[in-house]
Amino acid sequence: MPFTAVHPEAGLLDATLSDLGCNRRWSDFHRQVSPRPAIVCPECGWGVHAKLSPLRVKFFCHDPGRPDTCSLTHESMDHHMLKLELAGAIRDAGWYAQLEVAAADRSWRADVMASSPDGARRMAWEAQLSPITEDDIRARTERYAAEGITVCWVSPTPKPPSWIGAVPAVSVYPAERVRPMVVREGLVGFDPEAGRWAVHEERLGQFVRWVLDGKVELLTMRRRLWWTSRKSIHSREAWEAARQDQERDRLAAEERNRQEAEEEARRRREEMEEARLRARDEAERANPALRYQREEDEYREQQRAELGARLARERRERAERQAQLEAASLASAERFRIQLEEQERVGAEWWDRLSRDQVEELFAAVTERARAEGVTISISYPPRTDPQFAYGVPVYRGSPIGLFGVVRPCPALLEEVGRRHWPRIFFLSGEEEHGAELLPGPTTHFMCGSNGSAL
């Protein structure tokens, strides 16, 4: 049930205009038998003909065999009546209204497109009756915005949809309930007496005029969009400023009352203390023993206070010394850890100088030397270095049990093990012991070749 059609000569025909928007009469197209004017639907291109509804509403009807894909054929009577009311309100506001306007690339089609008299502004008015998600209606709004077109969605459903407030929109009472249509949600005004926003009902035609004249604008409140007047915005700002002034005055009054109460309490304490001292002095003059007793009590109280202060000072000093000791212990442990890590690094680098074959040849030479001396030794594989032997490998004999010698201790770490004596020390060559000022035992050097022989 489109309201527009395309004529090959006159162009776009608009059934909502008396001259069809092209200086033509409705009778030129309505009930014309032959030859029937060749007019087509602007949406699908199928042939249409002029027709009147039972309510005497002018529209164009598809010829038989129309495609089901044409979106204009699925619009209900309520949809069409809402479009008619929007178009009439736009024209009453002095703007141009064109129905069923589509983008060149068909990315959008406005139910009613309003254009300002100077053509500088365009605003789409969409009658939305079918269900739609917030994401979809936001996406359609963004497509309009991408072409510089503002939009307002209008819903006449019995229950206001959830997307009212997600995009510029209003909800109106269904047409069968109220004529002319009345906005029931989406338009708010500020009530300064109640200090709150309130939903404002208004005729749809008046609302459209306010929007096009710029007398109402969008306000974001609680993450929702609402239409309201600039007067309401200014009223809300003035109310908030007055409320803040009142709050400041209230806080200032409370602070003054608090200070006055504290001053009164202090004055009363001073008066009570003065009265107590006068009564005490009078009693002591009448009975001197009371003064001696008071002085004795004050002296004991002073002694207790001094003792308490001394004990507190001693506890504080002990806590400080304990904290210093713990800090020193932690620092010492950290230094020891760093020292061990450094020794371990040096020891690892010391052994990394030898290839695996050289290590095997070295221990084979040590085993051969022990066998030549008639000593049985045991060497674990892989050989394990020991920090107590300057990251050398200790070799133990079986009988009598004891240390046979130390294989390749690191000269740079010998000072760390202290003044200890080892039966013998094995090096690969004499060059390896360079850097050690004093070796803790006799040394044996092996010149190991690639075939594992010891010289």
Side-chain angles (χ1 to χ4, degrees):
M1 184 179 174
F3 286 107
T4 58
V6 178
H7 188 274
E9 297 177 359
L12 187 69
L13 306 179
D14 188 339
T16 65
L17 296 174
S18 59
D19 64 348
L20 304 184
C22 57
N23 293 321
R24 294 294 184 96
R25 294 175 299 174
W26 178 252
S27 58
D28 294 342
F29 301 93
H30 185 237
R31 292 184 177 179
Q32 293 294 324
V33 178
S34 61
R36 200 182 77 176
I39 53 178
V40 297
C41 173
E43 180 73 10
C44 64
W46 195 261
V48 295
H49 55 277
K51 193 172 182 179
L52 288 176
S53 74
L55 298 177
R56 310 299 294 173
V57 176
K58 300 175 183 178
F59 68 99
F60 295 101
C61 181
H62 283 83
D63 295 337
R66 61 169 174 76
D68 291 336
T69 56
C70 182
S71 60
L72 294 178
T73 62
H74 301 294
E75 294 180 349
S76 64
M77 179 58 68
D78 288 341
H79 196 144
H80 293 303
M81 297 307 295
L82 179 53
K83 290 198 295 185
L84 283 177
E85 184 143 352
L86 289 171
I90 292 168
R91 290 163 183 158
D92 289 345
W95 284 46
Y96 299 108
Q98 186 176 358
L99 284 79
E100 300 155 2
V101 178
D105 60 358
R106 297 289 174 174
S107 60
W108 52 263
R109 181 177 62 81
D111 285 332
V112 186
M113 180 65 74
S115 301
S116 61
D118 60 1
R121 294 171 55 200
R122 288 194 300 169
M123 183 173 184
W125 292 82
E126 289 281 8
Q128 187 63 38
L129 284 78
S130 59
I132 188 173
T133 65
E134 282 195 18
D135 290 341
D136 288 342
I137 202 167
R138 287 181 192 273
R140 292 176 62 180
T141 301
E142 290 171 359
R143 285 199 289 271
Y144 280 118
E147 298 195 26
I149 302 173
T150 56
V151 62
C152 181
W153 301 84
V154 183
S155 171
T157 55
K159 181 180 179 181
S162 61
W163 46 261
I164 296 292
V167 293
V170 292
S171 172
V172 298
Y173 287 109
E176 66 272 12
R177 291 184 54 187
V178 180
R179 295 293 296 178
M181 292 185 178
V182 173
V183 174
R184 62 173 172 178
E185 187 170 337
L187 178 64
V188 296
F190 186 76
D191 183 356
E193 294 184 0
R196 61 183 177 85
W197 291 95
V199 175
H200 179 76
E201 293 188 355
E202 185 57 64
R203 290 186 302 104
L204 178 60
Q206 183 62 58
F207 169 74
V208 172
R209 176 182 291 274
W210 284 345
V211 172
L212 297 180
D213 289 346
K215 293 182 178 180
V216 295
E217 58 189 57
L218 287 170
L219 172 70
T220 301
M221 184 169 52
R222 297 175 183 173
R223 296 187 296 181
R224 308 296 284 179
L225 292 173
W226 302 86
W227 292 98
T228 189
S229 66
R230 293 180 180 177
K231 179 181 178 181
S232 287
I233 295 176
H234 295 158
S235 178
R236 172 65 173 83
E237 292 173 349
W239 178 88
E240 179 61 22
R243 187 195 65 80
Q244 293 180 3
D245 291 341
Q246 293 175 357
E247 182 66 12
R248 283 192 295 268
D249 293 343
R250 184 186 66 81
L251 294 176
E254 289 181 354
E255 179 63 18
R256 287 194 301 271
N257 293 336
R258 185 189 64 80
Q259 293 177 357
E260 291 174 357
E262 290 181 353
E263 179 63 23
E264 178 63 19
R266 184 190 63 78
R267 185 184 61 77
R268 294 187 62 182
R269 287 194 301 270
E270 291 178 351
E271 291 177 352
M272 292 174 64
E273 180 63 15
E274 291 175 357
R276 186 188 68 81
L277 293 177
R278 285 195 301 270
R280 185 200 65 185
D281 292 343
E282 292 175 359
E284 288 179 351
R285 282 194 295 269
N287 186 358
L290 294 177
R291 181 171 63 84
Y292 299 140
Q293 182 62 42
R294 176 178 59 79
E295 292 176 349
E296 180 66 20
D297 292 342
E298 291 177 351
Y299 174 75
R300 289 178 180 176
E301 182 63 27
Q302 181 181 359
Q303 292 297 311
R304 283 194 297 269
E306 292 177 354
L307 176 61
R310 180 172 60 82
L311 293 177
R313 183 175 64 256
E314 291 175 353
R315 286 194 298 270
R316 185 171 60 254
E317 291 174 352
R318 283 196 301 271
E320 291 176 354
R321 288 195 297 270
Q322 182 64 26
Q324 292 173 356
L325 290 175
E326 291 177 357
S329 177
L330 291 175
S332 177
E334 180 65 14
R335 288 194 298 271
F336 182 69
R337 183 189 64 80
I338 295 174
Q339 183 180 8
L340 288 181
E341 290 180 353
E342 178 63 16
Q343 291 178 6
E344 184 176 357
R345 183 189 63 79
V346 173
E349 291 179 353
W350 168 248
W351 281 95
D352 286 343
R353 296 179 186 179
L354 301 184
S355 66
R356 182 174 180 179
D357 291 340
Q358 287 177 315
V359 172
E360 292 179 354
E361 292 173 359
L362 174 59
F363 281 96
V366 173
T367 303
E368 183 63 27
R369 174 58 60 88
R371 186 181 297 112
E373 297 180 7
V375 176
T376 301
I377 63 173
S378 61
I379 302 175
S380 61
Y381 284 93
R384 298 180 180 176
T385 60
D386 191 332
Q388 297 183 6
F389 294 94
Y391 281 88
V393 178
V395 178
Y396 295 92
R397 60 175 179 264
S399 179
I401 297 175
L403 182 66
F404 177 70
V406 180
V407 180
R408 207 167 175 270
C410 180
L413 302 177
L414 285 172
E415 292 184 2
E416 305 294 338
V417 301
R419 297 292 182 177
R420 302 173 61 185
H421 181 74
W422 299 334
R424 67 191 70 194
I425 303 172
F426 300 101
F427 285 110
L428 187 65
S429 65
E431 295 179 354
E432 288 192 326
E433 64 181 76
H434 290 169
E437 297 181 358
L438 180 62
L439 294 171
T443 61
T444 300
H445 305 147
F446 298 103
M447 298 298 292
C448 296
S450 60
N451 59 357
S453 62
L455 302 179

